[in-house]
Amino acid sequence: MAFMPGTTIVLPRKLEFHLGSSHPRRSEFVTGEFHQGLSFIKSLQPTTAKLPLPSSIKLRQPCALVASSEYPQNADFPRYYGRKEKKPFPIPVVELRRNARERIKNRKGKPKGRPPPTKQGLVVQSLVPLAYDVYNARITLINNIRRLMKVVRVHACGWCNEIHVGPEGHPFSSCKGKYTGVRKGHHEWTSAVVEDILVPIEAYHLYDRLGNRIRHDERFLIPRIPAVVELCIQAGVNIPDLPTKRRRKPVVWIGRKEFVDADESELPDPVPEPPLKPLLTEIPNPEIVPPSTPEETTLLAEETLAAWDKMRKGSNRLRKMYPVRVCGYCPEIHVGPSGHKVQICGAHKHQQRNGQHGWQAAVLDDLIPPRFVWHLPEPTGAPLERELRSFYGQAPAVVELCVQGGAAVPEEYKATMRLDIGIPSNGKEAEMVV
């Protein structure tokens, strides 16, 4: 190999190699001629050396390889707010006020736009099929969870609301129930039911979504149903046992909070229409048949996971069109433009509010709370150890139940399950982890 006389190059202390580059090996250009044996080891020392550079070789700029993903690699567990803490607003109040001022400024001098159908008392027809899908997905989810619980063990603490999915309960001392000091924080595990996995969130059923707010003396006269079912009914699902008012013409607003119904006398009499899609029903517990083979269990777990995803994503779309309110101090949910006036809030400092709720906009986790449980890396392997608690991940109870049933782990839950973290074999190895 020929070298140009007098041509030199200064090598850095640490030589970087990049994918796709055609750099020759460093040992080939120690001097003008190749040295045999081990004499070239001196050139590999971390010192600055001047070496000849062939005229045919060009230095390339280092390129950075960036790996992007829609979901983070690892994420913190969801925060649980104490009894004395108030839930944060989905959008800060300062930002809400700023957006309101901008809307007023941009709307100044322009004609008032048409309000959305929900504020006119109408149903968004394009979301009616989605409402039926969400309602049926909820029924499918409940029936499948009852079947999966026949083959996958689920434990519930008899003193607190914590649950665990696995052959036996976890050993962590995290019980906050009654007599926890006597038991030193240990749980007393019992068999769980479907209500332990799917938290029952109920709301008042409204016959007229734009009607008067529910008073405190009417709290026993109005039925309470699951909040997701009430959201589907307001979105267009017709259930004979739960009638609701369907307007065919938009209301006429005569004030800020006063309106009158439009005259529908010239319209033909409404004909009762059959449901857009057949409505499913819950299977009673005595009629539940568990899966007989591992292949059937895997298919059932995948179907359950698909129903869970469909119910959450569909409810999130309906929630953006039909407003849902939540109390900032307790889990009370109200599906409607404004919260009710029933004074049943028993959270922190409820005496100052006379038992009334502090209503604010709800998020998806308020409507369908995902109860997180500890993720079991190997369901048939060793149980969880108390010393390795910081290395384990968590997942919603429905997801963990389906994963142990044989379903694949969804991408959106891998961050909190910490699947890429190596778990030490014992506590001594955990102490050596930096």
Side-chain angles (χ1 to χ4, degrees):
M1 184 178 296
F3 298 91
M4 295 297 294
T7 305
T8 60
I9 178 175
V10 179
L11 293 180
R13 291 182 176 273
K14 186 181 293 184
L15 189 63
E16 297 180 359
F17 294 93
H18 303 277
L19 296 176
S21 63
S22 58
H23 291 293
R25 295 184 180 179
R26 185 178 179 183
S27 59
E28 295 181 5
F29 303 103
V30 178
T31 59
E33 51 187 45
F34 185 77
H35 292 271
Q36 300 291 336
L38 302 177
S39 60
F40 68 96
I41 296 180
K42 297 181 180 180
S43 62
L44 301 180
Q45 297 177 357
T47 58
T48 303
K50 294 184 178 181
L51 302 178
L53 174 67
S55 59
S56 61
I57 296 215
K58 297 181 180 179
L59 293 179
R60 296 185 179 181
Q61 295 294 333
C63 56
L65 299 179
V66 180
S68 60
S69 176
E70 184 180 356
Y71 303 102
Q73 182 179 9
N74 291 310
D76 296 333
F77 300 148
R79 179 186 174 186
Y80 289 94
Y81 295 93
R83 290 166 40 181
K84 297 183 179 181
E85 293 182 280
K86 184 183 180 299
K87 303 172 188 173
F89 290 95
I91 302 177
V93 179
V94 177
E95 188 173 349
L96 289 175
R97 293 175 179 174
R98 185 186 304 114
N99 296 341
R101 288 193 297 265
E102 291 180 359
R103 285 196 304 267
I104 295 175
K105 183 179 179 180
N106 297 334
R107 198 170 51 190
K108 189 175 183 180
K110 297 181 181 179
K112 189 175 182 180
R114 188 176 182 181
T118 54
K119 290 188 177 181
Q120 300 179 13
L122 303 177
V123 175
V124 183
Q125 296 298 329
S126 59
L127 295 180
V128 174
L130 179 62
Y132 277 90
D133 292 340
V134 172
Y135 182 87
N136 288 334
R138 177 183 173 274
I139 300 299
T140 302
L141 182 64
I142 294 176
N143 294 336
N144 290 358
I145 287 178
R146 288 174 176 171
R147 296 185 60 189
L148 280 176
M149 291 178 65
K150 298 290 185 179
V151 293
V152 180
R153 189 82 180 272
V154 182
H155 303 269
C157 180
W159 298 98
C160 66
N161 59 353
E162 192 164 346
I163 62 176
H164 181 73
V165 182
E168 57 185 31
H170 65 74
F172 307 136
S173 303
S174 57
C175 183
K176 298 180 180 179
K178 195 175 182 180
Y179 306 122
T180 181
V182 178
R183 292 177 285 106
K184 297 182 180 181
H186 294 292
H187 296 278
E188 290 187 4
W189 299 111
T190 59
S191 298
V193 294
V194 66
E195 287 78 11
D196 295 325
I197 299 178
L198 292 178
V199 183
I201 300 294
E202 293 185 344
Y204 285 104
H205 172 59
L206 302 180
Y207 174 75
D208 186 3
R209 185 160 41 88
L210 298 181
N212 297 329
R213 298 173 64 182
I214 302 174
R215 301 189 308 271
H216 182 69
D217 55 354
E218 299 176 344
R219 62 189 184 276
F220 299 120
L221 304 177
I222 300 176
R224 290 178 64 89
I225 60 177
V228 177
V229 176
E230 175 63 19
L231 181 62
C232 295
I233 292 175
Q234 294 189 16
V237 175
N238 295 321
I239 301 179
D241 297 338
L242 300 171
T244 184
K245 188 174 183 179
R246 304 292 186 191
R247 293 181 175 88
R248 294 181 290 174
K249 280 188 176 183
V251 298
V252 179
W253 289 92
I254 58 178
R256 187 172 177 269
K257 296 183 179 180
E258 297 180 2
F259 68 91
V260 293
D261 291 331
D263 186 14
E264 299 181 358
S265 58
E266 70 275 5
L267 298 178
D269 295 336
V271 179
E273 299 179 357
L276 186 63
K277 296 182 180 180
L279 299 178
L280 303 180
T281 57
E282 297 184 17
I283 303 177
N285 283 328
E287 301 179 7
I288 295 295
V289 179
S292 57
T293 60
E295 292 78 11
E296 186 180 355
T297 304
T298 302
L299 294 177
L300 182 63
E302 293 176 353
E303 182 184 358
T304 306
L305 204 56
W308 166 260
D309 187 64
K310 180 185 294 186
M311 183 182 69
R312 282 183 62 88
K313 291 183 177 180
S315 300
N316 196 28
R317 287 187 58 189
L318 296 177
R319 178 187 61 87
K320 294 178 180 179
M321 182 58 65
Y322 298 89
V324 180
R325 305 295 176 183
V326 64
C327 179
Y329 304 93
C330 70
E332 179 71 12
I333 284 284
H334 182 78
V335 184
S338 58
H340 57 74
K341 296 183 179 179
V342 181
Q343 303 171 3
I344 55 176
C345 183
H348 181 58
K349 294 185 178 180
H350 63 90
Q351 299 89 349
Q352 300 179 2
R353 294 175 278 110
N354 197 19
Q356 295 203 5
H357 298 283
W359 296 112
Q360 64 186 43
V363 296
L364 181 61
D365 289 347
D366 297 326
L367 184 63
I368 308 176
R371 175 166 288 182
F372 277 76
V373 297
W374 291 102
H375 170 59
L376 206 60
E378 298 180 2
T380 58
L384 302 181
E385 297 185 18
R386 187 179 309 171
E387 296 80 7
L388 308 179
R389 178 175 179 175
S390 59
F391 296 91
Y392 299 126
Q394 291 185 359
V398 177
V399 178
E400 180 67 16
L401 180 67
C402 297
V403 168
Q404 293 193 21
V409 180
E411 288 290 336
E412 55 185 314
Y413 300 108
K414 288 183 178 180
T416 56
M417 296 175 74
R418 299 179 178 178
L419 301 179
D420 58 340
I421 294 181
I423 301 178
S425 58
N426 49 47
K428 294 183 178 181
E429 288 188 7
E431 296 176 356
M432 300 173 61
V433 177
V434 179

